Amino acid sequence: RPRDTATVGETPPRQTRRVHAPAPGKPGIRRLGRVSKFWLQRYRVHTARWVSNPGVRFLARTPKVYDTQRRTIISLPFLKRLAKGFYSARLVHYDAVRHTAGLWVKKQIGAASSASRCSCGGRYKRLPGTTRRFCGRCGKVAIPSFGHTPRLESLYAHVDLRTRRIRWQVKVGVDKLTPLGVDDAGRWLLVYRVIRIKRGNKTSRTVVLKRLSLRTRRVDWTLKVKLPTRSGLRSSLLGSPRLHASANLKKVLIREYDERTRRRPRGYLTSPPARGVIVDVGTTRTVSFHAPVSSYGVVFDAKQRYLYLSSHQLGKIYKHDARTGKLLASITQGYGAFHLLFSKSGRYLY
């Protein structure tokens, strides 16, 4: 249980670890430790060693990183200072061994067209991470009207942890790009964007993938994946694509979200049912297969030969061939499966 917060460059004190082991010969759970005052999430910044907090936007909070090996929380207050000139910022890469970090930042293009002062005379200030503004004098929140949303461009800023400065930054695009993460070797950053076109009752969606090389500082790979056209969906959640990438960014899974009810035991997406698309980044080859409903847990094995999916509602775990998309096996593990994770040896799936 970490009781202190270390700063970058300092050696955190060595801490003891409690292990509550079950009785010999009986199955059970070993509790290795507990993290306090830290909001855990499944978004990682480099490998399984470092976990960021918060991982979305930290303009209003001091970013922190949890080191799972040393079991300490590392505070990065200087990143908040570096992100002051941007519209939003997100920590997507951190490596204390190479003394590097990466920020996914968005910069506003042009000046805002809405009023800069409130009716009371106070000046508006922007709420971090949103398009809303509030008055610094009376505290009134002003929601911009349609058409006043600022135009943003996405950039990647490479930070040197030794000098605590941005070494270089590169523009990736002006679209609404979302980062998937940096590979284990720290060579590439993978981002994506979903383009939705609605015509009447039908909605078509295209996923655009881009890969930024951190060595050449250029986008060296782009791919567009078109999903089936859907019609008559009761909410925007149904059919929305969700993406997951392997640790080395060589395999990417794009899956449509679907859920079942008593009236729709097979789900809402029909003809075709919910699809899953496996993308091979090296060969740009894509294979499609039938994705289960409420598939929250996704993980590739270490060699990217197999893909494992878990269905929250069906209570099953599915094993697919990552090259052909063929279903190889499935087991029933019970209702409520969310996340999947391999052990270090690759023998066990949690």
Side-chain angles (χ1 to χ4, degrees):
R1 187 174 189 177
R3 299 182 179 273
D4 57 350
T5 302
T7 310
V8 175
E10 298 180 358
T11 303
R14 187 175 181 180
Q15 300 177 0
T16 59
R17 180 175 62 177
R18 299 183 187 178
V19 178
H20 301 274
K26 294 184 180 181
I29 299 176
R30 293 190 305 171
R31 180 177 297 176
L32 300 180
R34 180 182 298 175
V35 182
S36 62
K37 298 181 180 181
F38 189 85
W39 175 45
L40 285 174
Q41 55 177 330
R42 62 176 183 171
Y43 186 81
R44 63 173 195 175
V45 294
H46 183 61
T47 59
R49 176 176 177 178
W50 293 291
V51 183
S52 65
N53 172 30
V56 183
R57 299 181 177 102
F58 55 78
L59 290 179
R61 302 178 182 178
T62 300
K64 298 179 182 179
V65 173
Y66 178 69
D67 192 338
T68 59
Q69 291 186 6
R70 295 187 176 183
R71 308 173 66 83
T72 55
I73 299 177
I74 305 173
S75 180
L76 306 171
F78 63 92
L79 292 183
K80 183 179 178 180
R81 173 180 55 83
L82 296 177
K84 278 187 177 181
F86 299 101
Y87 181 82
S88 64
R90 180 175 180 174
L91 184 63
V92 296
H93 174 56
Y94 177 81
D95 191 352
V97 178
R98 298 183 177 91
H99 302 283
T100 58
L103 300 179
W104 180 257
V105 296
K106 292 187 178 181
K107 186 178 180 181
Q108 182 174 343
I109 305 176
S113 58
S114 56
S116 60
R117 289 187 178 274
C118 180
S119 58
C120 68
R123 186 175 295 274
Y124 279 122
K125 298 181 180 180
R126 184 178 55 83
L127 288 172
T130 65
T131 58
R132 297 187 179 186
R133 299 176 303 153
F134 71 97
C135 178
R137 179 181 297 180
C138 65
K140 181 181 178 181
V141 178
I143 303 176
S145 58
F146 181 77
H148 292 273
T149 303
R151 192 183 180 192
L152 305 175
E153 62 178 3
S154 302
L155 302 95
Y156 175 79
H158 200 69
V159 181
D160 190 347
L161 297 179
R162 295 175 179 174
T163 60
R164 300 188 179 184
R165 294 182 179 180
I166 297 178
R167 184 183 301 175
W168 54 268
Q169 62 183 20
V170 59
K171 176 183 174 181
V172 183
V174 295
D175 307 327
K176 296 181 180 180
L177 298 171
T178 304
L180 275 175
V182 180
D183 65 327
D184 292 340
R187 295 175 295 179
W188 294 294
L189 169 68
L190 197 63
V191 299
Y192 74 94
R193 180 198 177 193
V194 181
I195 301 176
R196 294 180 177 88
I197 301 177
K198 189 173 183 180
R199 296 177 180 177
N201 196 28
K202 296 183 178 180
T203 305
S204 62
R205 295 142 306 144
T206 303
V207 180
V208 182
L209 294 167
K210 292 184 178 182
R211 188 181 67 181
L212 174 67
S213 176
L214 302 184
R215 295 179 179 177
T216 62
R217 307 176 190 178
R218 294 181 180 180
V219 177
D220 59 355
W221 183 83
T222 305
L223 181 67
K224 294 183 179 180
V225 180
K226 189 175 182 180
L227 299 177
T229 302
R230 300 295 180 181
S231 60
L233 298 179
R234 64 182 181 90
S235 67
S236 59
L237 179 64
L238 294 173
S240 60
R242 301 187 177 187
L243 281 77
H244 176 81
S246 60
N248 55 6
L249 300 186
K250 291 185 178 181
K251 295 283 186 179
V252 179
L253 172 66
I254 306 173
R255 66 193 188 280
E256 293 181 299
Y257 178 80
D258 192 12
E259 57 187 20
R260 68 170 188 170
T261 58
R262 292 182 180 180
R263 295 183 178 180
R264 300 288 184 94
R266 295 185 178 181
Y268 286 86
L269 303 183
T270 56
S271 61
R275 307 304 298 172
V277 181
I278 302 177
V279 180
D280 192 333
V281 178
T283 61
T284 66
R285 183 173 178 268
T286 60
V287 291
S288 179
F289 64 95
H290 177 201
V293 296
S294 61
S295 55
Y296 295 131
V298 181
V299 67
F300 287 94
D301 66 330
K303 297 182 179 180
Q304 291 83 44
R305 294 177 56 189
Y306 304 106
L307 168 69
Y308 295 85
L309 288 171
S310 68
S311 175
H312 175 75
Q313 292 183 324
L314 300 180
K316 292 184 177 181
I317 297 179
Y318 302 88
K319 179 181 179 181
H320 292 264
D321 191 336
R323 188 178 62 88
T324 61
K326 181 181 179 182
L327 178 62
L328 302 178
S330 64
I331 60 172
T332 302
Q333 54 81 34
Y335 176 82
F338 274 94
H339 306 312
L340 297 178
L341 181 67
F342 270 105
S343 62
K344 188 175 181 180
S345 61
R347 252 184 103 180
Y348 302 100
L349 180 65
Y350 295 90

